[in-house]
Amino acid sequence: MDDVTPFRRHEMNSFPSMEVDSADLKHGNDRAHDDLEEPSSKRIKLTKEDGTPVTESNDGNDSKFQPAEKTPLYDTSGLLPSSLSLLGITSPGVTEDGQRFTREIDVGISEYIGKDVPSISGIIKQRFTDFLVFEVDLNGEVVRLKDIGKPNPAAGIPSKAQPEAIPSEVANEDPESQKVAESSTETHPESASTTEVEGRQWSDSFIPKLSPYLSPTCIEQLKAIFLEGPEPPVASDSGLPAGSAPADKEGDEPAPDAPADEAEMPMDSEPAKEVEASTSRGGRGKRGGRGKDRGRGGRGGGRGGKSQREDNRKVISEPITSKESRTQFHQVIRELFAGKLETRAEDVKEGEEGSRILIKWAPKGGAGNSRASGSDRGGRGGRGRSRGGDRSNRNATDDKPPPWIHFTLQKTNRDTQDALAHISRLLRIAVKDLAVAGTKDKRGVTTQRVSLKRGPKTIEEVWQFVNAQYAGRRTVEQVMSERGERGVRVGDMTYARSSLDLGMLKGNAFVITLRNIKADSEDTINRAMQSMKDNGFINYYGMQRFGTSSIPTHTIGLALLKSDWAQAISLLLRPRPGEYSEAEAGRRAWLERGDLQAALELIPRRAVAERSILEFFDRQGGEAQNIMGALNTIPRNLRLMYVHAYQSYVWNAIVSERIRLHGASKPIVGDLVYDKNAPAPPPKKKGKYVPPNIKVLKEEDLKDYTIFDVIMPLPGRDVAYPGGELGERYKEFLRLDGLDPDNLVHTHRDYSLLGSYRHMLHLPTHLSWSIIRYTDPDIALAQSDEDQLLGFTLPPTEPDGKFMALKMELQLGTAAYATMAIREVTKTETSSYHQTNLTLTSEDQKFKGVGGEAVEGAEDPEVEEVGVTTELAMEEAVENEIEMAEA
């Protein structure tokens, strides 16, 4: 069979040619969609100006669309994994008009903890402000938007006495282990021998603190580098720094270059061709070659000046396998040398475990993080001191701002990646120059910190560009009185010495409002909330993990795991009900007519996976034979999201079995826990994997653990499975889905399932709630930080309002889903289809607008778009990767 045929309907007829009258289909989702960016948000078929439905033409006519009397059905057959039969599920959820949708039970979600509490009906996320999310940073502080005005030009510029920022890897580590590190670096004994060179003091008391991490030879090298000072010695004839100690034998090869500063590079520009760097005598040197990764080489010797000497001095440790030990080592270096030396993790050689730690002098004005160093980045070099110095190290004096800017981002109804892409376009930078600790929900108002690799931009310039003040688009008065453009608002800007990295957060705080609550009494509501406060909720992977379309992400992941590339692409490109009409038209343009250009014109940019595939086909001249190559063009994080979704489905299903059979009040024999009494694992040997200390509970162990200690594995090759029937259930699930539970190694490395662990229950913290009354569903019952700063008033509550709402505040860890906490309270389906119908049929919709002028800046209820796979960094996919790496 021709490899093209799985993806074009007119060649393979993969979609059944069943048709029904247009009038027979019910468009229950025809509601205004305030997407803030899309020109049209109604989920309807394309129509002519007179309202006549239209569809694509297949008769060769120049017009893309022709009047349609029939509306095609969608091919949604065979989308449930075979393993669902083990849960007694044999048919999918179907809407009134015959279309399939994904239910909770389809992804393994079926149980509750507080089964003795009656169910409560309530609507989730009816308005954006009904779902407020605030990041909780590593210090336990809740991130709030506090200041949207022009930033202080000196904000975040540290004085010489201030210590360097914690390196990014340290910030990723457990704060408790940081405390251990801090306690291990107390004041040095005065009796220790001290060597001082030009104000730099080396004390012999450093040695016992460094010995757990460095060999005696490495300690001597570190001492020599420190006493030499930040400027490297003049090179000898041999090319090595005169008087410096030789590099460690494991560190002979230079470290990989970090990404270059591309602040002035257009987003779509192609990398410059590599050229050889050279110096000239008095003239301009050639443009330097690009670094090992993406950096631009520096210019040569400059005009009449001499270039800054590159500092290649460094000490590299042996591989350190323990995450806690690496954390402590970073802190020890930071404390002993007052931030003058920087540390960073280095890759190990093939067959080794853990990470090596590189130590070197921090760049002047940089952060204790080597990514600030222009020399290591292959950054754009200067033209010589006579022309203003080295541009790659423009922060090389103490009075220059650090290389990063941190700011608070509040986004409304925006994916995190979408909001970052918007900011990158305003700043004319690559989106990779922006970093976050984690991604947030789209539907809602979310607040988090963002770091920007600023390049030559100042903090004032960044504020002006992000707030669209260039070319007179917006005045300061408009910025301070109107909401941010396209649902994006930034504030609280400050310079910083290091970037944010994924995982640098403790969790998220939520303010959630459930509308049109219906319960037999307020006492029932209080009982439900108290039950969650005392007993927690099942730590299911929520519906967001599996997408909102009729083609859930875990089915795509299963196709990838089975190496069924044709099925994976078919699932990604197949039309599905409920998505924007433009997106559906684009899919059908390719699948039914083979019109690749029309498809690329119609399918929106946010459909990253779909566009990646079609753009690859376009580069192949329209041929669709290299299907694996097309899949590989999808960003890796997005491909991993599909695979992780399948793991999450299996985890959900097995946890439901565990709780259905044995309840959720106490551990049982055969449950898995982290063994809290096990000694620390021995150092890893080269090529040997050392798993975490997992304990299979026996009868005598039950008294030492609680239900909150119980963990369940995500399937993979390096995890333990529960004892007894649950362990066998895992394997039965995988076999029914066509996978070998005893061999989950994949020929494509990205799809090899390593596996990880996740706690079965989650207990929220800082949980409180209140019951309020309202009448107009357009009235906001909670307020975003931006609206408060703009002076918008929150309408007063109505003691005699016709409807009841439940407002809850809580904090959850990074791996928990707030919708699953809500589900425990309401005992209500959280699928997008069900919640949409609740909104559309809610009684309070009859009272829209009765609040009159009391509403400022109100948004319409939005029906969430389904069916388009956006490039989320996907918080839970990222969290899963972090968990897998730690395992």
Side-chain angles (χ1 to χ4, degrees), residues 759-868:
H759 281 95
M760 188 170 72
L761 303 185
H762 192 89
L763 190 65
T765 59
H766 302 87
L767 175 60
S768 62
W769 65 93
S770 60
I771 298 171
I772 53 182
R773 303 198 72 87
Y774 72 100
T775 299
D776 186 352
D778 279 346
I779 294 291
L781 301 178
Q783 194 172 38
S784 69
D785 288 345
E786 179 187 30
D787 283 1
Q788 292 182 38
L789 293 171
L790 293 175
F792 293 170
T793 58
L794 184 66
T797 58
E798 303 176 60
D800 299 324
K802 296 180 180 297
F803 306 103
M804 187 163 53
L806 173 62
K807 186 175 183 179
M808 64 178 77
E809 299 185 23
L810 69 160
Q811 287 188 24
L812 302 176
T814 55
Y817 284 81
T819 50
M820 294 296 98
I822 297 170
R823 174 185 179 275
E824 179 63 36
V825 173
T826 63
K827 314 294 189 298
T828 301
E829 173 89 17
T830 59
S831 66
S832 175
Y833 175 80
H834 182 77
Q835 288 296 319
T836 294
N837 281 343
L838 284 180
T839 297
L840 297 178
T841 60
S842 177
E843 296 169 341
D844 63 0
Q845 296 300 302
K846 300 176 183 178
F847 295 86
K848 286 171 63 69
V850 300
E853 297 180 357
V855 183
E856 289 194 72
E859 81 276 351
D860 291 330
E862 176 198 350
V863 176
E864 186 171 358
E865 176 198 11
V866 300
V868 174

Side-chain angles (χ1 to χ4, degrees), residues 286-453:
K286 295 180 182 179
R287 179 183 288 275
R290 291 179 62 87
K292 193 172 183 179
D293 289 332
R294 294 186 290 273
R296 291 187 181 182
R299 298 184 188 272
R303 295 181 178 178
K306 62 178 182 179
S307 62
Q308 184 180 10
R309 294 193 305 275
E310 183 176 0
D311 188 2
N312 291 315
R313 299 171 301 161
K314 59 193 173 191
V315 174
I316 301 179
S317 73
E318 291 290 327
I320 301 175
T321 57
S322 167
K323 179 179 178 180
E324 182 178 359
S325 296
R326 294 196 300 272
T327 301
Q328 293 175 3
F329 188 24
H330 284 299
Q331 286 285 31
V332 166
I333 296 297
R334 178 171 176 262
E335 296 293 332
L336 291 182
F337 303 102
K340 296 175 182 176
L341 302 183
E342 66 178 11
T343 56
R344 72 179 180 202
E346 290 285 285
D347 292 336
V348 294
K349 297 180 179 179
E350 186 175 355
E352 294 180 338
E353 298 290 338
S355 297
R356 299 175 183 270
I357 303 299
L358 179 146
I359 312 163
K360 62 184 294 184
W361 272 94
K364 292 182 178 181
N369 187 322
S370 62
R371 286 177 289 185
S373 171
S375 61
D376 278 355
R377 301 172 66 84
R380 187 193 289 271
R383 298 183 181 179
R385 293 180 183 174
S386 63
R387 288 290 302 267
D390 185 356
R391 289 185 61 189
S392 72
N393 197 16
R394 59 181 288 136
N395 298 321
T397 57
D398 291 337
D399 59 344
K400 292 292 184 181
W404 277 272
I405 292 174
H406 287 198
F407 57 86
T408 300
L409 164 67
Q410 179 188 291
K411 60 180 184 65
T412 302
N413 193 36
R414 280 282 170 265
D415 293 326
T416 300
Q417 196 68 21
D418 186 18
L420 296 181
H422 172 65
I423 293 173
S424 72
R425 288 191 292 270
L426 292 174
L427 294 174
R428 299 173 182 264
I429 61 170
V431 71
K432 66 183 179 60
D433 289 339
L434 295 161
V436 294
T439 64
K440 310 299 178 196
D441 296 74
K442 173 187 176 182
R443 179 153 178 82
V445 182
T446 69
T447 307
Q448 65 190 116
R449 292 295 281 177
V450 179
S451 66
L452 161 69
K453 186 175 66 177

